[in-house]
């Protein structure tokens, strides 16, 4: 079966328009292949493919090379400022806009949620989850993730946060014992903030609705409307229909009811941190390995 290029949607966003323009000029230049253009630009073919498809933000310096390759008199340099403002893939954009205005944020995640991740933990997680991304792409995503934490620490708090974490989030040694000890310290500090509640859903709770690998977020907006968002490792979906949202709220309340109390969660964090700290000293194995 012949290989077919993916369909582009330049109307979706400046990032998609930028990518579509790359393809348009490739086609206008003797139907140049993507690999040939990457060779001319001295650029990664895989990275260039993701930029053309609107999946990745163009890095600084690429626009000048494209203008030179296509003789476009600065067109790509003029497109770049708009395309560069979008640090997140399109599938997250609608959800993230709502996150920025929510007055209540409730979530269940299999790992430490992005809003509570240390920079070292986030970097290790991104390196593992996107092993074929370039260092520039991972740095872009890391910067965006860290920037999103600003609202969590505003005074007065603009939002009430309730996080339910799967126990595996603190058992799996992402980045090693030192990174995990730091991450657990951050979780302990966050859990003691007046506008943040954290619970751990223990492995002993057994089967539950989200154990198939889905994260669930519920946002209450200023007009008291609630929306839900589900996310897998390679997809995300926003729910606004009242019946869909109510169903997911019921599921979340079941998860919250199965989770440890905030006090027991705090004790578990401290115990897990001690295990990883001892592992650093070489005294015992980390708790995650017991």
């Amino acid at each position: 079966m012949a290989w077919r290029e993916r369909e582009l949607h330049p109307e979706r966003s400046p990032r998609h328009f930028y990518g579509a323009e790359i393809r348009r000029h490739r086609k206008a230049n003797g139907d140049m292949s993507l690999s040939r253009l990457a060779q001319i630009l001295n650029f990664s073919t895989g990275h260039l493919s993701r930029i053309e498809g609107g999946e990745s933000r163009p890095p600084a310096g690429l626009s000048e090379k494209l203008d030179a390759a296509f003789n476009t008199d600065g067109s790509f340099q003029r497109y770049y400022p708009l395309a560069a403002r979008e640090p997140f893939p399109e599938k997250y954009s609608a959800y993230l806009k709502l996150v920025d205005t929510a007055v209540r944020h409730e979530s269940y995640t299999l790992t430490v949620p992005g809003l509570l991740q240390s920079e070292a933990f986030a970097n290790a997680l991104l390196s593992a989850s996107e092993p074929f991304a370039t260092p520039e792409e991972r740095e872009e995503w890391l910067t965006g993730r860290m920037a999103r934490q600003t609202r969590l620490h505003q005074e007065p708090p603009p939002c009430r946060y309730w996080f339910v974490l799967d126990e595996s989030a603190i058992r799996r040694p992402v980045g090693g014992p030192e990174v995990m000890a730091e991450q657990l310290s951050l979780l302990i500090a966050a859990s003691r903030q007046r506008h943040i509640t954290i619970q751990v859903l223990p492995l002993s709770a057994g089967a539950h609705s989200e154990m198939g690998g889905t994260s669930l977020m519920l946002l209450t907006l200023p007009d008291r409307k609630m929306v839900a968002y589900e996310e897998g490792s390679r997809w995300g979906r926003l729910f606004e229909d009242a019946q869909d949202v109510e169903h997911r709220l019921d599921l979340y309340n079941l998860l919250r009811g199965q989770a440890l109390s905030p006090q027991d969660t705090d004790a578990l964090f401290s115990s897990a941190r001690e295990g990883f700290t001892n592992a650093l000293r070489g005294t015992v194995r980390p708790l995650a390995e017991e």
Side-chain angles (χ1 to χ4, degrees):
M1 184 177 179
W3 178 78
R4 295 177 59 186
E5 292 181 323
R6 76 183 77 179
E7 183 179 356
L8 302 185
H9 301 276
E11 75 284 352
R12 286 184 177 176
S13 70
R15 180 186 293 187
H16 282 79
F17 178 81
Y18 188 102
E21 284 296 288
I22 294 176
R23 179 174 295 179
R24 185 173 73 84
H25 284 288
R26 278 203 299 112
K27 299 301 182 183
N29 279 264
D31 200 15
M32 182 189 300
S33 69
L34 196 65
S35 59
R36 174 57 182 154
L37 177 60
Q39 187 178 34
I40 292 171
L41 301 175
N42 191 26
F43 202 79
S44 161
T45 302
H47 193 182
L48 189 61
S49 177
R50 291 189 291 274
I51 293 169
E52 183 176 280
E55 298 175 15
S56 294
R57 185 172 61 169
L62 176 62
S63 300
E64 290 82 354
K65 292 182 178 181
L66 287 167
D67 281 328
F70 294 135
N71 194 26
T72 42
D73 192 28
S75 293
F76 283 95
Q77 293 174 68
R78 290 191 290 272
Y79 304 149
Y80 174 73
L82 289 175
R85 289 179 190 170
E86 299 183 298
F88 299 96
E90 179 205 5
K91 66 180 181 180
Y92 304 118
S93 296
Y95 166 69
L96 292 175
K97 288 175 183 176
L98 295 174
V99 167
D100 289 339
T101 62
V103 296
R104 188 175 180 87
H105 179 128
E106 299 162 284
S107 69
Y108 164 77
T109 53
L110 283 165
T111 186
V112 177
L115 288 172
L116 297 177
Q117 290 175 8
S118 70
E119 186 168 345
F121 183 94
N123 187 48
L125 197 62
L126 284 168
S127 296
S129 61
E130 298 291 347
F132 304 114
T134 65
E136 293 77 16
E137 286 177 303
R138 283 198 290 268
E139 181 62 29
E140 172 192 328
W141 296 329
L142 179 63
T143 299
R145 182 168 299 186
M146 293 298 100
R148 297 217 62 79
Q149 297 182 359
T150 302
R151 194 167 189 259
L152 188 74
H153 304 293
Q154 287 179 3
E155 286 291 345
C159 185
R160 177 77 171 86
Y161 294 91
W162 199 301
F163 300 99
V164 177
L165 285 64
D166 195 87
E167 186 178 351
S168 60
I170 63 168
R171 298 300 192 189
R172 190 180 300 279
V174 175
E178 184 174 6
V179 170
M180 289 302 300
E182 179 193 26
Q183 178 62 71
L184 284 156
S185 292
L186 193 155
L187 288 172
I188 292 169
S191 69
R192 295 174 184 174
Q193 298 294 306
R194 68 184 187 278
H195 63 296
I196 299 173
T197 299
I198 307 177
Q199 293 179 266
V200 164
L201 182 65
L203 298 175
S204 60
H208 59 82
S209 62
E210 310 307 307
M211 65 181 298
T214 302
S215 295
L216 173 62
M217 276 66 78
L218 296 158
L219 303 176
T220 302
L221 306 179
D223 62 2
R224 311 315 297 179
K225 176 184 177 182
M226 180 178 280
V227 300
Y229 182 74
E230 289 183 343
E231 180 180 289
S233 62
R234 297 292 182 272
W235 59 272
R237 184 179 178 188
L238 184 67
F239 297 88
E240 299 182 82
D241 178 78
Q243 192 170 10
D244 289 337
V245 174
E246 184 177 2
H247 173 62
R248 284 157 181 81
L249 176 59
D250 288 342
L251 294 176
Y252 185 74
N253 284 333
L254 286 174
L255 292 171
R256 183 156 39 198
Q258 292 176 284
L260 299 176
S261 70
Q263 294 75 21
D264 288 343
T265 292
D266 189 82
L268 182 61
F269 286 160
S270 296
S271 175
R273 180 179 62 179
E274 182 180 1
F276 283 114
T277 300
N278 287 338
L280 280 173
R281 297 172 182 154
T283 54
V284 297
R285 292 181 303 165
L287 188 61
E289 296 180 4
E290 293 182 356

